[in-house]
Amino acid sequence: MGRTVLVVGGGGREHALTIGLLESPSVSAVHVAPGNAGTAIIATNHDVSAGDVDGQVALAQSIGADLVVVGPEAPLVAGLSDVLRSIGIPSFGPHAAGAMLEGSKDFAKKVMLDLNIPTAGVQHLTNATDLDEAVDRWGAPWVVKRDVLAGGKGVVVTENREEALDFILESIETDGMVLLEEFLEGEEASMLVMMDESGFVALPCSQDHKRVGEGDVGLNTGGMGAYAPAPVATEEVRNRAIREIVEPMHVHLSTQESPYRGCLYVGLMIDSTGAPSVVEYNVRFGDPETQVTVPLISSDLCDLLLAVAEGRLESSMPTFSTNHALTVVLAADGYPGPPVKGRPITGDLSDGIGSNGRAFIHHAGTGISDGQLVSTGGRVLAVTGIASSLADARELAYRKLSDVQLEGAHFRRDIGHKAL
Ligand code: AMP
Ligand code: GLY
């Protein structure tokens, strides 16, 4: 009998994890809660929301889960992994104390400063006095961050002083405080690190596209597309990031009373000299980074995630393929503002196979209404190409995307532009 796995969440990341787990020889069944229309086709969906800790625990028990893989941060911050471990169910994803690295940007900064990990300087603003002095300290561009979980949307980066001041005042009013960060120059990359007390391994680095518009303009989003491996993270940059950023954090986390077991997502800024610093930590897989990273793991994904959940990663290191992957997010009308939902998604959503690789759909905000596939969220789906070169992966993804129709939807035509 193979393993039974529960995947918590319902986005493109969770669809990618579900596909990877079903391709694992050690897995016989995958359940997803709540899942989406894509996971419903290949696995068993359950109507339990990701943030419902009691509901997820009861579900894991009722299906006899051998492993729970937690996709989003909210249930981790709420302690889902703590509860699962206390009843003997292995959970991939850190305990609530570890999840604070994402749950509070303020807390994460303090840990980085204590450990001497390179990151942007920060000022904590709690009232409206002396704001001029604060915003003049580093000058433009201004990076203002609310210290709340906001799905990548609680951050404003702007050259406009008035806009920065308005967001600072608004945030102080709603949250009682806000962070003003030093602006870091450079190119971003995402490093997903599998980590437990026995060791860590960095997966191939990827690059997300956070702004809504082509050429990296417009509002921040959860991510409009990604590709991997990202050439900006050269061998030298990766080694330096591991030495200066990952190792000290691993020493810190593995010596806590209860160890960190899960993915540590390191958002890197790499300057023109190749020096990496931390933009942010997340305590989960990235979305859409997972869609381009999981397909590059050639060993059994479940073996890897279960080993991390049980604290024995060192004895179960993964292997990787030499392929390239690129994914393009199709977003709903209105996104990253309030999206229009419930519109029909039509066209040919079947896998595309070319002589140079393949392309397929990662569902995200999709559901079925009256037998029709419809949009249910902001990021509706992502089209992912896999090939032996990045250019081929890109061509396959965009060709497949042209088969899909959703009224008012938008996507970026320049995913991968920095590498191509
Ligand atoms: P965060 O949610 O902290 O990852 O911020 C969202 C995005 O804002 C990042 O992916 C960056 O593109 C940008 N950003 C955040 N902090 C900085 C910074 N200190 N310097 C430059 N850009 C930043
Ligand atoms: N794509 C960015 C994130 O997952 O936070």
Side-chain angles (χ1 to χ4, degrees), residues 11 20 46 100 113 131 246 268 271 287 341 376 398 404:
H46 298 267
M100 282 297 284
L113 289 174
L131 277 193
V246 182
L268 293 172
D271 77 9
D287 188 343
K341 298 181 190 176
T376 60
Y398 279 104
V404 180

Side-chain angles (χ1 to χ4, degrees), residues 56-379:
Q56 294 289 351
V57 172
L59 175 59
Q61 286 177 308
S62 75
I63 61 170
D66 299 297
L67 170 68
V68 176
V69 180
V70 186
E73 60 279 11
L76 294 170
V77 173
L80 177 56
S81 287
D82 309 60
V83 182
L84 289 167
R85 274 177 208 139
S86 72
I87 55 170
I89 300 177
S91 178
F92 181 91
H95 43 52
M100 282 297 284
L101 282 176
E102 177 167 0
S104 167
K105 289 177 187 290
D106 200 19
F107 171 80
K109 277 284 180 198
K110 288 194 181 108
V111 176
M112 283 186 267
L113 289 174
D114 278 352
L115 298 174
N116 253 322
I117 289 175
T119 186
V122 67
Q123 303 181 67
H124 311 240
L125 309 178
T126 52
N127 61 62
T129 54
D130 301 329
L131 277 193
D132 283 319
E133 198 185 320
V135 296
D136 289 337
R137 178 154 164 210
W138 296 305
W142 290 278
V143 181
V144 188
K145 296 188 179 178
R146 291 180 62 200
D147 197 17
V148 294
L149 287 178
K153 287 175 248 160
V155 177
V156 164
V157 181
T158 178
E159 300 267 356
N160 182 322
R161 201 169 190 278
E162 283 313 303
E163 194 189 341
L165 280 168
D166 285 350
F167 191 61
I168 289 171
L169 287 169
E170 239 170 69
S171 306
I172 291 176
E173 199 156 297
T174 45
D175 309 332
M177 68 89 70
V178 70
L179 303 176
L180 177 60
E181 273 194 19
E182 193 181 357
F183 180 80
L184 296 170
E185 289 285 351
E187 197 173 327
E188 285 183 80
S190 306
M191 192 182 225
L192 305 184
V193 183
M194 304 288 100
M195 184 180 283
D196 67 17
E197 64 272 35
S198 75
F200 65 82
V201 58
L203 305 182
C205 281
S206 52
Q207 191 167 57
D208 189 8
H209 298 62
K210 296 239 166 98
R211 300 292 187 122
V212 70
E214 281 152 26
D216 300 318
V217 299
L219 293 173
N220 258 315
T221 70
M224 294 298 291
Y227 64 95
V232 63
T234 59
E235 188 69 21
E236 208 180 319
V237 168
R238 268 173 67 91
N239 289 340
R240 192 159 168 189
I242 284 173
R243 208 170 52 240
E244 296 176 9
I245 293 166
V246 182
E247 271 172 4
M249 192 53 105
H250 180 247
V251 169
H252 170 73
L253 293 174
S254 57
T255 50
Q256 302 291 297
E257 195 175 304
S258 172
Y260 187 103
R261 294 175 177 175
C263 179
L264 181 70
Y265 165 132
V266 187
L268 293 172
M269 186 70 81
I270 301 158
D271 77 9
S272 55
T273 70
S277 43
V278 178
V279 175
E280 63 162 347
Y281 285 115
N282 294 318
V283 298
R284 47 161 179 87
F285 281 101
D287 188 343
E289 288 93 332
T290 306
Q291 290 87 314
V292 292
T293 308
V294 163
L296 303 186
I297 300 175
S298 51
S299 48
D300 185 303
L301 178 66
C302 187
D303 280 351
L304 171 66
L305 303 182
L306 185 59
V308 172
E310 294 182 336
R312 49 181 181 77
L313 168 63
E314 198 56 52
S315 63
S316 189
M317 284 291 174
T319 55
F320 304 104
S321 88
T322 55
N323 277 336
H324 295 252
L326 184 145
T327 194
V328 185
V329 169
L330 183 71
D333 198 355
Y335 182 82
V340 179
K341 298 181 190 176
R343 285 192 175 150
I345 304 163
T346 55
D348 175 11
L349 276 76
S350 64
D351 292 359
I353 316 276
S355 58
N356 52 348
R358 64 198 170 92
F360 54 97
I361 311 266
H362 283 117
H363 287 246
T366 65
I368 302 288
S369 175
D370 294 332
Q372 167 68 49
L373 183 67
V374 296
S375 60
T376 60
R379 291 191 290 177

